[in-house]
Amino acid sequence: MPGSHYDPRMHIQDYAYEPSAQEEGFDILRIFLYVVHYRWILATLAAIGIVSAMALTMMMTPQYRATAMLEVLVPSARIFQDIEVTTESGDMRSYLTAREKLKSRSLVERVVFNLGLGERADFLFPRPGFSPLNILSRAFGRSPGADISAYSADERVRMATNRVLDNLSIETIANTSLLSISYSDQNPKYAYEVANQIAQSFIDQRINQASDTSSQARQFIQEQVLQVKERLQKSEEELVDYAKNAGITITGSDSSLIAANLTEINKALALAMQESLDYGRLVQQIDNGQGASLEQVLASEGLERLKGKLAELKAEYQQKLAFFKPGFPEMQQLNSQIRETENQVNLGVAAITDSIRIKHGETLAKVEDLKNKLSELEAEQVAYQDKNIQYTILKREVDSNRSQYDNLIAKLNEVAVSSELRNQNATVVDMAVMPRHAYSPRLPLNLAIGLVLSLMAGAAAIYVLELLNNTFTNPEQVEKELRLPILGILPAIEEKDFAQAVANPKSGLSESYRSLRTSLQFSGEEGAPRRLLVTSSEQSEGKSTTVYKLAEDFGALGARVLVLDADLRKPNVHRLFRVDNIVGLSNVLTSTIRREDMPKLIKRVNANISVITAGMIPPNPADLLSSSRMGLLLQKLARSYDIVIVDSPPIIGLSDAPVLSRLTDATLLVVSSNQVTRKAARTALKRIQAAGSNVLGVALTKFAVRKLDYNYSYTYLSYNYYSYGEETPKLDSRSEEGSSPRHAKNWSLASVSERLRKHLRDLGDRIKSAT
């Protein structure tokens, strides 16, 4: 570290917070830890919900339900589907009609008269469905009474009818012809009797109605057969007469010979035109002087052989040209052979191109002939269509009449068989039975609903409490809000144990500060900054303690450390290092230090740590810290020491920290968990960054790690983790002779505890990976 130079540019200023996969997804473990953390709230609300559900259940009057099953039989006249006497949709209408009739007032009044419900006081005046008095009724068996003599017979019938209609339920069963008749009542006997009586009354209401639908339908069909037969004969005669007069031959096919010829001519014309276009493109290529590159020319084997021979002659000529002149007889002979071969090639190409031109002319003539023939057929087709329109109309009428006649004959034969059958309106499939248990209220369901509602209220309460808790509870929140890396997480220590934890180098707090020191060493390319400012958003966040521990830890590495107490408003460094504060920084900045007091300015704590205290508290700390003397002093100290750690006042409400941040190489922001608000921390960071400070990161102090808490994943900050190995039993000479049983027992309990913690950590990791 000596001689190192800190380059603030090496520090990553634009730290981007990237949420973890668990934070982006559904973190079951975190939700479980939230539940455990707020377990008393949830347990209280759950108990309230369960007790409320039980109380509400006791206030509800038990209801009994009896159900009868009725099958609706569609009339036999449904065979006349094609003439819409009854269709499939008509079947559904029959079921819906039966359902509405079962709920009709006339049918219910018949039930009331048959059962004498208008004369039963307990039926006319039941207990209320929901009332606190129901608890007393259940406890003492009392039921309210009323005098029915005060009401006339018509009024009692109307009251009974309205009550039956209110408690009656008729439902259709999908894809069946069954109807479910359900009736609910406080008295199971009434539920049973009314459900069965409604089914029986529905059958009795229709049992005396004679079904003459089949006979009426037969008479109707016979009349229709005679009428359709006359229309069929008349339409056939008209069709034949028109065909004779128009000269139309009836072949039994819907399309005429002319139409078939038109189809064939159109196909031939399309092929001829395509062929003409193909040959036309070839002729155009020939006219452009590219006949030698035609596919037909290239595919000619004779031309290929001539081209090969020509290439050989030209190659031989070029080869001998190196030895003989062009006038040499042998060269002249080769030259004549080359010309002769080229003529043969040209004649072959011309023959192929001439044949293409001839075929092109033939295709053009063929297209013209086909067009003329097509025009003739189109004229004939127009004349035929004029005649065929009336023929088609007459033929369609004949086909329609013949179809109606055939259908009516078939239906007449069917109705002859079914005309003697007697239709039955409905049958009872299942009679209602006496209900033994009430279907409402259902205590398990009410308890479940009460529990769910209470847990939902608890979840809402937890959500509101978490929203109201505007402090930092875990490092992820710090990184997300401030967009700065966490350089160190410092656990919360009980006030009574704090001094011991600070002094003990093996405590969890000391190990956390050493981890913070390591993070600072790796914050730059060449190590920790030479001038480090330690500040916080508000007071009492642990910045002075952080300065003290960082000085100790850097000094333990052999670095020359100077601690400068720049908190001229509420100095605390001299108390931590246990030095006097008679002469300090304020005396240097105000030039009130005497020459004989100069040796007292820098106080040596040990071989590697020195301290400059704040001195007397001045009236204008900000002016003194922004003076040129302060900058020169820090530069001089940075040259004399390996690292200068500056303790400053809080940022919020004061200008001291922003001023000091411009005079130092880097700034460490101390944020206390569950203390400083997120808004205050953001404001402080924004203010100090606006002053041009190079903020390395955050040291999260007072981080509480409790068992079964949502910060339980940071249990490595506990003392047990950093005291690893201290409980390992030491072997001595007496261990060979025999060790203490109590000592062995403690060792085994520690081992079991460690294994249990390991298994719990593994379980948590698996849950996180699964989510």
Side-chain angles (χ1 to χ4, degrees), residues 57-72:
T57 302
M58 295 296 294
M59 295 179 188
M60 298 171 67
T61 302
Q63 297 288 332
Y64 297 87
R65 177 185 292 164
T67 302
M69 199 71 66
L70 187 70
E71 181 181 7
V72 178

Side-chain angles (χ1 to χ4, degrees), residues 671-710:
V671 176
S672 59
S673 175
N674 294 309
Q675 177 179 338
V676 64
T677 63
R678 302 181 192 182
K679 182 178 180 181
R682 287 196 302 268
T683 303
L685 177 62
K686 182 177 180 181
R687 185 179 182 193
I688 199 169
Q689 286 180 338
S693 173
N694 173 32
V695 183
L696 294 178
V698 175
L700 184 62
T701 61
K702 303 180 182 180
F703 183 67
V705 181
R706 296 180 293 270
K707 291 183 178 180
L708 296 178
D709 199 354
Y710 40 63

Side-chain angles (χ1 to χ4, degrees), residues 1 62 96 128 155 294 342 357 409 538 604 607 682 702:
M1 188 170 188
L96 297 178
E155 290 177 340
L294 292 176
E342 288 178 346
R357 291 180 185 275
I409 291 297
E538 301 174 355
R604 294 181 63 88
R682 287 196 302 268
K702 303 180 182 180

Side-chain angles (χ1 to χ4, degrees), residues 50 66 109 152 156 169 275 313 359 367 421 445 490 546-547 614 616 644 743:
I50 292 174
E109 287 179 351
S152 63
R156 294 196 298 270
S169 174
E275 187 177 3
L313 291 174
K359 289 182 179 180
V367 168
L421 297 178
L445 178 61
L490 311 171
T546 302
V547 169
M616 303 299 293
V644 177
H743 185 84

Side-chain angles (χ1 to χ4, degrees), residues 338-369:
I338 291 172
R339 288 196 299 273
E340 179 66 22
T341 306
E342 288 178 346
N343 291 332
Q344 292 178 2
V345 171
N346 293 333
L347 289 174
V349 173
I352 294 174
T353 56
D354 290 342
S355 66
I356 292 175
R357 291 180 185 275
I358 293 172
K359 289 182 179 180
H360 180 240
E362 293 175 353
T363 55
L364 290 176
K366 184 179 179 181
V367 168
E368 189 65 26
D369 293 340

